[in-house]
Amino acid sequence: MADSGMTGRGVKRSVNVLLQCEWGSCTYVATKMEEFCAHVSDHLGARHLGPADEAMDCEDEFCCLWQDCGFFSLESQLELFRHVYFHCYHTKLKHLGLQALQSQPDLIPCQLDTQSRNMIPELQESFLCMWDQCESSFDNAEWYYRHVDSHGLSAEYEVAGKENRVLMCGWKDCDCSCKSRCKLREHLRSHTQEKVVSCPNCGGMFSNNTKFYDHLRRQTSLDQHRFQCTHCSKRFATERLLRDHMRNHVNHYKCPLCDMTCPLPSTLRTHIRFRHSDERPYKCQQCDYSCKNLVDLRKHLDTHSKLPAYCCEYEDCSFSARSLCSVKAHYRKVHEGDSAPRYKCHVCEKCFTRGNNLTVHLRKKHHFKWPSGHPRFRYKEHDDGFLRLQLVRYESVELTEQLMKEREKQGVPLEDAPTCLVLSQGPGPGSDGVDYERTAGEKDYRLLSE
């Protein structure tokens, strides 16, 4: 049964919050999620009857009037309801983020642009509980997370061995067991993707306070970033941040349709959507343009606007553009003097101002090619400030073994296998050489091209 979002279900979470409605010019403030969601549902019921200054030219689309959002649904009113109720949930997380920040006086508040503070992720069709024999569905994320949490609170202990008792996760296709109810409730968030705190400035959501604090520490001045990644040269404020970052350099997942390998399931899904699918479900209502995600559609809609969306903040500068990246590029080039060539060929030392120019140079002059399944070259910043071709990638032990087994099944000798794991130079001696080097203390192999 679908929950409309009007009333809460499951266990109530008593949290002292101030919830500010940002629908149009509304200034309503609530202290309880039940009251806040009920208030917002009134906006949804009267969204076509609001003041003229809150109207939007949406015609057949369902528009969200939340400040700094700009979302509109191309499909249904239910999609809009799910989206707006997520604003309610996001508002609570931002207040919790403000409280967390106030409890850490040594942390500097977020310095990022506030334009994304009310931009929320694309949502699934409905929030579906996959607990055994449940399958309740919800349109309000808050009630969904409360409902799933109630399963964790009511789960019964089962005997495991002579004296051990554990709580089994009842989620579909999950055989995880936890020793405490707290751990089970925390584990359930991995199924629901529930976040517990959000940055009050930029809107970013995090699964715990530690990750939120890391988000703030990453913005400290570079002279405080003493820990450097040996792979991409990025610097971090703490050793743990560096370790978390380096995990993203290890590929664990292989595309079932090509030789592309990815570090995360999300990057693999994105790869499949953009490289192996022709579906373009997001269509512009003003022209024939269509695309594969909502972000690209929003960028395209800016091209129909007669007014620039972003302006340069430098004093006495009148530059403006429709995209934020154009304004940032202008600022670096004009006001910071960042027009010197930064891309350098590692073979002949020739320099280029743009990465794609170096790519053309490497392919035509030196006959380089990228690994099978990978769509482009990647460049790494070195200590001298130049960006050079990245020649090293990391694959997990499990993935490396999987790739080798697939080659064996195809009857391809390992010494003759195509170089899908490392960059290779064009036809010539040594173009297929791969050297495997186990890195100390890590469950991955370091892949080096000859």
Side-chain angles (χ1 to χ4, degrees):
M1 178 179 67
D3 189 291
S4 66
M6 288 294 294
T7 58
R9 295 175 60 179
V11 177
K12 293 184 179 180
R13 302 177 184 180
S14 299
V15 180
N16 295 322
V17 290
L18 288 176
L19 305 167
Q20 168 72 59
C21 178
E22 297 189 63
W23 184 273
S25 58
C26 182
T27 58
Y28 174 85
V29 177
T31 57
K32 296 180 179 179
M33 280 298 290
E34 290 79 5
E35 297 173 355
F36 190 51
C37 290
H39 166 81
V40 171
S41 70
D42 291 339
H43 284 305
L44 289 170
R47 66 188 191 88
H48 291 301
L49 305 177
D53 62 344
E54 294 182 7
M56 291 181 66
D57 184 18
C58 285
E59 297 182 357
D60 295 331
E61 295 91 357
F62 299 95
C63 299
C64 174
L65 302 185
W66 211 267
Q67 292 179 24
D68 299 320
C69 175
F71 170 86
F72 61 87
S73 170
L74 299 174
E75 298 179 5
S76 67
Q77 190 176 43
L78 278 178
E79 184 181 31
L80 174 66
F81 281 22
R82 280 191 296 272
H83 170 89
V84 175
Y85 285 133
F86 202 92
H87 275 303
C88 297
Y89 166 67
H90 191 217
T91 298
K92 182 191 77 169
L93 296 193
K94 284 189 292 184
H95 184 81
L96 296 178
L98 180 61
Q99 291 180 331
L101 178 61
Q102 291 171 344
S103 71
Q104 302 288 325
D106 59 317
L107 285 179
I108 299 175
C110 175
Q111 304 296 307
L112 299 182
D113 198 318
T114 61
Q115 288 182 330
S116 63
R117 68 185 184 89
N118 282 335
M119 299 290 285
I120 62 177
E122 295 181 40
L123 305 177
Q124 53 200 345
E125 286 191 5
S126 64
F127 297 100
L128 181 64
C129 177
M130 300 297 289
W131 191 270
D132 185 37
Q133 298 182 347
C134 182
E135 295 190 356
S136 299
S137 64
F138 301 80
D139 293 320
N140 187 318
E142 175 73 15
W143 310 149
Y144 169 62
Y145 297 135
R146 290 190 187 188
H147 168 85
V148 173
D149 190 49
S150 70
H151 285 303
L153 286 168
S154 61
E156 297 183 358
Y157 281 94
E158 298 183 14
V159 176
K162 293 183 178 180
E163 300 180 355
N164 294 331
R165 294 196 312 156
V166 296
L167 291 163
M168 299 299 298
C169 176
W171 208 262
K172 182 180 179 181
D173 298 326
C174 181
D175 56 3
C176 177
S177 62
C178 302
K179 293 184 178 180
S180 68
R181 201 170 297 281
C182 178
K183 290 293 184 181
L184 176 59
R185 296 167 69 190
E186 182 180 333
H187 164 74
L188 285 173
R189 295 194 190 113
S190 69
H191 293 302
T192 63
Q193 304 303 308
E194 178 185 5
K195 308 300 181 185
V196 301
V197 66
S198 182
C199 177
N201 182 68
C202 71
M205 296 187 293
F206 307 92
S207 56
N208 55 53
N209 280 1
T210 301
K211 292 186 177 180
F212 170 47
Y213 297 148
D214 288 345
H215 162 74
L216 301 176
R217 290 190 181 100
R218 288 189 181 98
Q219 299 173 44
T220 58
S221 59
L222 287 178
D223 59 353
Q224 299 180 40
H225 289 201
R226 299 183 293 109
F227 301 90
Q228 186 173 20
C229 174
T230 57
H231 189 62
C232 69
S233 300
K234 286 185 178 180
R235 294 181 177 272
F236 298 88
T238 67
E239 186 176 4
R240 186 174 55 77
L241 282 176
L242 173 61
R243 288 199 306 269
D244 291 343
H245 161 79
M246 292 194 72
R247 291 192 186 100
N248 294 326
H249 285 308
V250 182
N251 293 343
H252 295 274
Y253 304 93
K254 178 185 177 297
C255 174
L257 303 173
C258 71
D259 290 327
M260 176 73 174
T261 56
C262 304
L264 300 169
S266 58
T267 53
L268 179 57
R269 288 195 297 269
T270 300
H271 161 76
I272 292 175
R273 184 193 314 143
F274 281 91
R275 296 293 169 184
H276 301 297
S277 173
D278 294 327
E279 293 186 12
R280 295 176 175 269
Y282 297 90
K283 303 182 186 300
C284 176
Q285 301 298 302
Q286 302 181 51
C287 68
D288 294 332
Y289 177 84
S290 61
C291 55
K292 296 184 178 182
N293 63 19
L294 190 58
V295 174
D296 286 345
L297 179 59
R298 285 174 175 163
K299 289 179 180 178
H300 165 77
L301 291 175
D302 287 339
T303 65
H304 292 297
S305 173
K306 295 180 179 179
L307 298 176
Y310 302 96
C311 298
C312 178
E313 296 180 353
Y314 194 82
E315 186 177 0
D316 298 328
C317 181
S318 60
F319 180 84
S320 60
R322 291 197 179 102
S323 68
L324 182 60
C325 63
S326 297
V327 175
K328 288 183 176 179
H330 154 81
Y331 190 91
R332 288 195 301 268
K333 184 175 181 179
V334 176
H335 303 301
E336 294 184 342
D338 188 17
S339 58
R342 293 195 61 218
Y343 292 85
K344 179 178 283 192
C345 175
H346 67 288
V347 179
C348 67
E349 299 293 303
K350 188 173 182 180
C351 297
F352 302 86
T353 56
R354 299 175 62 188
N356 60 335
N357 292 339
L358 176 53
T359 295
V360 172
H361 169 81
L362 288 170
R363 295 192 66 187
K364 292 187 175 181
K365 179 69 175 179
H366 301 296
H367 307 292
F368 270 73
K369 59 182 179 181
W370 40 73
S372 176
H374 290 256
R376 61 187 175 90
F377 290 146
R378 295 182 183 275
Y379 297 102
K380 169 184 173 181
E381 185 174 357
H382 289 248
D383 292 337
D384 59 4
F386 284 101
L387 292 150
R388 294 179 177 86
L389 183 64
Q390 178 179 310
L391 295 171
V392 178
R393 286 216 327 280
Y394 298 88
E395 313 285 0
S396 67
V397 171
E398 293 81 2
L399 182 56
T400 302
E401 292 174 348
Q402 175 190 340
L403 293 169
M404 289 181 172
K405 287 179 181 178
E406 289 182 1
R407 292 177 183 176
E408 290 177 358
K409 288 181 180 179
Q410 296 170 359
V412 180
L414 290 181
E415 60 271 17
D416 297 331
T419 53
C420 64
L421 298 181
V422 294
L423 293 170
S424 62
Q425 198 165 358
S431 63
D432 289 335
V434 178
D435 177 25
Y436 294 92
E437 174 185 322
R438 190 68 179 274
T439 57
E442 296 289 340
K443 280 193 65 179
D444 59 70
Y445 283 101
R446 190 178 183 187
L447 304 180
L448 305 173
S449 64
E450 290 191 341

